[in-house]
Amino acid sequence: MASLRLFLCCFLFTASSINLVCSRSLQKNHAALFVFGDSLFDPGNNNYVGTIGRANFYPYGETFFKHPTGRFSDGRLISDFIATYANLPLVPPYLQPGNKQFIYGANFASAGAGALSETYQGFVIDLKTQLRYFKRVAKQLRQELGEAEAMAFFSRAVYLFNVGANDYILPLTSNSTVLETFSKQEYVGMVIGNLTETIEGIHKSGGRKFGFLNIGKLGCIPSLKVLVPGNNGSCFEPVNELAKLNDAALPKALEELEIKLAQFKYSMHYLNISFAERLNNPQKYGFKSNIACCGSGPYRGIDSCGGRRVVAEYELCSDPSEYLFFDSGHLSEKANKQISQLMWSGTPDITGPYNLKALFET
């Protein structure tokens, strides 16, 4: 068996020039990026899931990739920029066929996913399943690297999360009765509870450094503003109420984990500040408008971009970089870059207690 394993290792080196795994020894400061969450971070996992929540068609991807990849933007996502800042390649979708090497990390995010398994159940990769996929990767890497090297690898990696928005949107835009069964505070507690369980599961596998965004004024995205009667420019406040409760509960949960979990460090980007600033004063940040570039109806808030969903007709702007939103519910590449820069090197008033640059360097 020993000689067979040596042969396989040499074959991998020759055929694909991947020598990090075969050497069973990584560079001292090698750090990977593991990504969890929803469409804000999904690079195309939903291309391989039986779902209607896909963006693998024109005009998605046209700005940077020049073709659709499954990303819900005209170009790169926040997680793509973070990988670049960390001197890593763009982390491909975990479900992408042939994606079997995870030495630079893995991206499990799925458009429409929530912390709760019931959120768009059957159409997305929920957070619990994303954790299960991570554990598969962790098992593979332990086999490839050996237990000691793998534990060092996982402790140096950064685990990036964005989840919860879909948990708050779905009950208020469907015939769900969950908020009749649970109070708003109880429901938010369930979302935060599932997130903390996932963090604890990763910590048990060796993860120590985590990055998060809070949710901010979720009810002010075009797809929710369009639900307000009269279309007078107001935000959809029922969703904002849940988001505000979430943004109060999440820091407390992370502070408790900091006490409970050994060597736990985290970065929290305050999207409630950065996003609100761009909503209220888009011109200051280089945007002509805070409506969507692609879609239809008021604010282009009807989810019709690309004409592959319920509504076939849509409008498309000539320059996505002039818009805060690319489609009715997702940021343009330019906005993603601005937010990612604040996450990477922002000061504690906007990203704290660590920024992501500091996490990667510690």
Side-chain angles (χ1 to χ4, degrees), residues 205-224:
S205 293
R208 295 295 182 266
K209 300 186 287 188
F210 295 79
F212 306 92
L213 300 89
N214 67 8
I215 291 180
K217 291 187 172 293
L218 181 62
C220 299
I221 63 176
S223 63
L224 292 177

Side-chain angles (χ1 to χ4, degrees), residues 48 93-100:
Y48 312 102
Y94 170 72
L95 294 182
Q96 181 175 291
N99 181 27
K100 303 300 180 186

Side-chain angles (χ1 to χ4, degrees), residues 161-225:
F161 282 81
N162 182 74
V163 72
N166 292 302
D167 298 303
Y168 302 133
I169 291 173
L170 182 61
L172 294 168
T173 57
S174 67
N175 58 2
S176 170
T177 59
V178 67
L179 291 175
E180 297 174 11
T181 306
F182 301 99
S183 70
K184 293 175 182 177
Q185 290 79 4
E186 288 171 334
Y187 185 71
V188 169
M190 292 162 56
V191 172
I192 299 295
N194 277 21
L195 175 58
T196 56
E197 285 180 14
T198 302
I199 295 166
E200 289 173 346
I202 294 170
H203 184 273
K204 189 174 181 180
S205 293
R208 295 295 182 266
K209 300 186 287 188
F210 295 79
F212 306 92
L213 300 89
N214 67 8
I215 291 180
K217 291 187 172 293
L218 181 62
C220 299
I221 63 176
S223 63
L224 292 177
K225 286 177 66 176

Side-chain angles (χ1 to χ4, degrees), residues 21 30 32 34 93-94 99-108 136-137 140-141 144 153:
V21 171
H30 178 85
F34 291 93
Y94 170 72
N99 181 27
K100 303 300 180 186
Q101 295 296 331
F102 304 108
I103 214 67
Y104 296 111
N107 189 320
F108 309 100
R136 288 183 190 173
V137 170
Q140 176 181 323
L141 287 170
E144 293 174 344
F153 170 85

Side-chain angles (χ1 to χ4, degrees), residues 295-310:
S296 56
Y299 328 112
R300 294 187 183 133
I302 295 173
D303 185 22
S304 59
C305 185
R308 297 281 191 92
R309 303 185 182 108
V310 176

Side-chain angles (χ1 to χ4, degrees), residues 216-217 269-287 290 324 338-339 342 349-350:
K217 291 187 172 293
H269 176 65
Y270 303 111
L271 202 58
N272 60 311
I273 298 174
S274 60
F275 181 53
E277 288 176 344
R278 285 158 178 78
L279 276 172
N280 296 333
N281 193 359
Q283 290 80 14
K284 178 180 177 181
Y285 297 95
F287 301 107
N290 60 16
L324 179 60
Q338 290 183 5
I339 299 299
L342 294 171
D349 60 319
I350 193 71

